Amino acid sequence: MAIAFAVCAASLRAGVAIDLRYPREVFRVADVTEFVTNEPVLRVVGDVASDGAPWGLRVTAPAGIPDLAGGYPTLTEVTFDLGGHAAVTDVVFAPVIERDQGSIRSFGVREFLLSGSPDGGAYGPQARVASGSGVGSVDGRATVTLSPALEARFVRLRWLSGWQRGEDGTPDVRLEDIRFVTQASSSVSAPVSEFAALVMNPSETQPFAYDVLLHEGRNRVVLEVVEVGAAAGDTAAFDSATVPVTLLPELPLSTDAADGEPTVLSDGASLAVTVPAGAAPETLRGLGLTRLNPTDVPVATYSANTDIDASYPPILAYEFSGWFQEPFKAVSTAALPGQPPSLAVDGRLEYPSTWVSNLAPFPIRWRVDLREEANVARVVIHPRVEDGVSFGPQRATVLFSLDNDVFTYAGEQEEFPDGVGTIAIANRTPTRWVELVIEEGKQANDIQINEIEFFTATGSRVLAQVTADEVSFQAPVVVNARYFADDVAAAAAPPSAPIGAFLWNAGALEWQWTRAAVTEAELLNPAAQAGGGGLLAFDVNSLSKLALFVRSDAAEDTAIVAAWSFNPFSPNGDGIADTTRLSIRLGRHVGDADSEVTVRITDLRGMLVATPADGIVTTSSAVAIDWDGRDRNGRAVPIGAYIYEARVRRFGAGAPEVANGIIAVAK
């Protein structure tokens, strides 16, 4: 599937055009042409150039918008999809209300135009409707009763005036929520399908920025510049741009990647990250790629860096985040010491991360707290299977509860297979607590379950997640960073300035050059040459922040430097310094040969304890290696001092370079 940005070939009115800057109008980074992301929120940034006449910018939102008051220019029109034909009797606004030193200000709608459509195409006549401010009501809401009821699936509201006005005289409307009352339901919260901003006095170039929500799978975000008088009608757009983007809710599990297919994520503009099969940590569920304003990178972080020409700000800047699955809290009526019930919901599918019962009599009850309400459609059980023998349940029932007190029947499985088994939920009501009642086992009452998963009707997993601002991989990932001529110009750098890719090393508190060579735009695939600039590609095993800087003319540095993030560290499971990271700066050298990195830990007698890195091959000049304080057999090492050795061998070079020292394990 090839995905690119499509833009109308010509505007219908001269002098009015949309310039989509982020994501790019044409997305291509090296050979990556498909815009795939783990992030459910897409930020759309650009400009509208006009001849000074009023216009409106209308944007489709595949799954809604996160904030009715977000983005700029301020929204003045919102379209909701009720999901089916309905008779709307009331519109309920929840305005932002500010209280300051005795004064109260409502940012609600004062007067608006209302229209409806059965299919999102042609809209019916507009009705002019007045609304209260919400001030003085018990819940701060303003309810507008419609007479007669509006028969429609799509409901469009356009603000004519608000209880507050902006500096330019336009309505200053800020809403927390809009709900609808229908004849069939007391209250309906509908997603936004489209929104628009009407600009009455545009500048020659008017910037815009909005966030839209994506649904799982393929999405199309369409931006149209329309006549102000047509923002609620059917007149063709002056100009438009379309963003096709695929939302991948999760990275594939390592056990699902046996075919060796990599996952390629991008931001739809200048960055693509290829994650090979098996490279992601076992509990990593998503990788965020966030573009930063280059001027927001603190000058103090690079002003003294001899590899960087600090006369210029970064050309591009990104920060990465990882979403890691955390264990749910679970209890059971039976468990062996060291094999607690929470091991069945820790995101790890293999033994020994396994809940094991202690041969207690049936029924065996296992209960989990999902942390918040979820619409669970099926429960998937991964039993331990050893030499073809399954230690899973033979017969089990699932119960749901919202209060951890009253549980109701949700589904059952009378006969499980020997492998992975699924319990389909018959009673699909929201739940927070799930109880699995095992009434019979494959191997008598010896129950051993590697993992229990919960899925919604759309196929999304119900997860507990924590966000980290740095991600270490089990094998190198490939980063492609594409900068354009206008990126260089925005930094006021010369067009021929030497550009380098730098990664932030949090342990050393410095930007470290990756040694990636620039491929000039004219040498790229013809479809990727537009916009000038160049491409930098490199592999790395840790991602935190990335920036493209103008490189300085500093002398080559060939020495390697190694430093631990925590030394000593205390791998005692208290969540503080449980692991430590060895950051290795490989130095620079003539040529771009690969390097092989090996890290060994020995005791003071020279006996090998662990090998955190064994011959990792990289083209980067910055490598990060984690150690969890365990030996080669997975056992915690005794408290004390150990010797580490980082050995770097450059292919085609002479003897390897070595950095060594003491790493201490504390209580």
Side-chain angles (χ1 to χ4, degrees):
M1 176 181 64
I3 293 183
F5 295 107
V7 181
C8 286
S11 296
L12 297 182
R13 187 177 99 192
V16 179
I18 185 171
D19 177 20
L20 190 59
R21 293 189 285 109
Y22 182 78
R24 287 269 174 178
E25 293 180 352
V26 176
F27 171 62
R28 190 180 185 99
V29 174
D31 294 326
V32 181
T33 59
E34 186 175 355
F35 180 11
V36 179
T37 180
N38 284 151
E39 301 186 79
V41 180
L42 175 67
R43 187 152 185 84
V44 181
V45 179
D47 301 288
V48 174
S50 74
D51 53 9
W55 49 262
L57 176 65
R58 182 182 296 157
V59 183
T60 62
I65 57 178
D67 184 3
L68 284 169
Y72 59 86
T74 303
L75 303 187
T76 50
E77 177 186 287
V78 186
T79 303
F80 294 88
D81 181 1
L82 301 180
H85 183 83
V88 180
T89 59
D90 298 88
V91 180
V92 183
F93 296 99
V96 172
I97 297 178
E98 291 185 352
R99 292 174 169 83
D100 183 26
Q101 297 181 351
S103 66
I104 302 177
R105 294 199 306 165
S106 168
F107 289 87
V109 179
R110 188 167 190 166
E111 195 173 25
F112 62 97
L113 294 177
L114 174 71
S115 59
S117 169
D119 55 9
Y123 281 76
Q126 296 178 342
R128 194 178 186 115
V129 185
S131 171
S133 66
V135 175
S137 65
V138 175
D139 56 4
R141 295 178 178 269
T143 300
V144 178
T145 300
L146 306 180
S147 181
L150 177 66
E151 301 277 349
R153 170 177 173 172
F154 293 87
V155 178
R156 179 167 288 171
L157 307 146
R158 185 199 292 186
W159 322 143
L160 293 178
S161 64
W163 289 95
Q164 307 297 326
R165 301 179 71 87
E167 293 181 358
D168 59 356
T170 59
D172 187 0
V173 174
R174 308 176 202 173
L175 301 171
E176 294 180 352
D177 186 25
I178 299 177
R179 302 182 71 88
F180 301 92
V181 177
T182 69
Q183 291 179 348
S185 175
S186 59
S187 180
V188 175
S189 180
V192 172
S193 62
E194 288 183 352
F195 59 88
L198 308 184
V199 180
M200 304 305 296
N201 299 297
S203 58
E204 184 175 326
T205 301
Q206 173 70 53
F208 64 83
Y210 297 106
D211 290 334
V212 298
L213 300 177
L214 306 176
H215 57 66
E216 182 178 349
R218 297 184 180 184
N219 297 258
R220 285 172 58 86
V221 180
V222 181
L223 301 92
E224 296 179 304
V225 183
V226 299
E227 290 184 79
V228 167
D234 309 313
T235 302
F238 293 138
D239 199 5
S240 68
T242 300
V243 181
V245 53
T246 297
L247 173 61
L248 187 67
E250 292 182 42
L251 287 172
L253 297 176
S254 57
T255 53
D256 296 337
D259 57 359
E261 289 295 322
T263 300
V264 183
L265 302 174
S266 67
D267 73 329
S270 298
L271 192 68
V273 178
T274 301
V275 183
E282 189 175 5
T283 59
L284 181 65
R285 296 294 170 255
L287 181 65
L289 289 60
T290 303
R291 185 176 177 129
L292 304 176
N293 186 332
T295 58
D296 289 341
V297 177
V299 175
T301 64
Y302 61 87
S303 60
N305 193 313
T306 57
D307 293 332
I308 296 172
D309 187 340
S311 304
Y312 309 101
I315 306 300
L316 286 177
Y318 284 86
E319 65 180 5
F320 301 90
S321 56
W323 309 314
F324 289 86
Q325 182 176 352
E326 281 193 320
F328 286 119
K329 291 182 179 179
V331 296
S332 67
T333 57
L336 282 179
Q339 306 289 156
S342 59
L343 290 180
V345 278
D346 64 353
R348 295 177 169 88
L349 300 178
E350 303 296 332
Y351 182 83
S353 178
T354 305
W355 165 50
V356 180
S357 72
N358 58 356
L359 305 181
F362 290 115
I364 296 174
R365 296 179 178 271
W366 177 92
R367 184 180 298 181
V368 64
D369 179 2
L370 300 180
R371 297 191 180 184
E372 59 185 24
E373 291 184 18
N375 292 300
V376 177
R378 56 191 173 98
V379 178
V380 178
I381 299 175
H382 298 260
R384 182 187 178 194
V385 179
E386 187 72 22
D387 296 329
V389 177
S390 172
F391 291 86
Q394 177 67 21
R395 182 164 54 93
T397 300
V398 171
L399 307 177
F400 281 178
S401 175
L402 286 172
D403 59 6
N404 200 26
D405 183 22
V406 178
F407 282 79
T408 58
Y409 172 85
E412 63 183 304
Q413 178 65 274
E414 287 291 337
E415 186 173 351
F416 276 83
D418 287 337
V420 178
T422 298
I423 300 178
I425 301 304
N427 179 21
R428 294 189 183 180
T429 58
T431 186
R432 173 169 170 174
W433 283 269
V434 178
E435 183 166 292
L436 177 68
V437 183
I438 302 175
E439 299 158 274
E440 184 180 349
K442 294 281 187 181
Q443 308 301 320
N445 54 352
D446 185 4
I447 300 297
Q448 302 184 34
I449 296 179
N450 289 342
E451 192 71 11
I452 300 175
E453 298 179 298
F454 309 93
F455 292 86
T456 67
T458 62
S460 298
R461 286 201 301 160
V462 179
L463 299 173
Q465 296 186 142
V466 62
T467 301
D469 57 10
E470 185 168 5
V471 181
S472 293
F473 296 89
Q474 298 174 158
V477 299
V478 179
V479 177
N480 283 269
R482 174 77 162 93
Y483 67 93
F484 297 85
D486 55 0
D487 296 321
V488 178
S496 59
I499 307 300
F502 290 75
L503 293 170
W504 178 250
N505 185 319
L509 294 177
E510 68 173 3
W511 291 99
Q512 295 183 342
W513 184 44
T514 63
R515 292 194 285 119
V518 174
T519 301
E520 300 296 338
E522 58 266 24
L523 300 179
L524 298 175
N525 184 300
Q529 293 179 4
L535 173 75
L536 296 107
F538 56 93
D539 59 17
V540 67
N541 68 337
S542 179
L543 288 173
S544 172
K545 294 178 182 178
L546 164 70
L548 305 188
F549 287 99
V550 176
R551 287 175 43 212
S552 71
D553 296 325
E556 297 291 323
D557 177 11
T558 59
I560 70 169
V561 178
W564 292 95
S565 58
F566 297 107
N567 190 2
F569 76 113
S570 55
N572 56 12
D574 65 356
I576 302 174
D578 285 331
T579 63
T580 186
R581 172 168 296 168
L582 181 64
S583 297
I584 307 172
R585 182 174 182 178
L586 307 184
R588 295 186 290 173
H589 62 287
V590 178
D592 294 300
D594 291 346
S595 299
E596 182 184 74
V597 180
T598 298
V599 176
R600 291 159 44 95
I601 309 289
T602 65
D603 61 21
L604 297 181
R605 298 172 299 167
M607 301 296 293
L608 181 64
V609 173
T611 308
D614 189 6
I616 294 177
V617 177
T618 179
T619 60
S620 175
S621 66
V623 175
I625 307 297
D626 289 339
W627 186 38
D628 59 2
R630 295 184 178 274
D631 64 17
R632 291 178 295 171
N633 298 314
R635 297 171 301 197
V637 302
I639 295 170
Y642 296 84
I643 299 172
Y644 73 88
E645 178 188 84
R647 183 177 294 266
V648 178
R649 182 172 67 89
R650 305 188 194 279
F651 295 122
E657 301 167 64
V658 177
N660 51 32
I662 296 293
I663 175 67
V665 177
K667 184 175 180 180

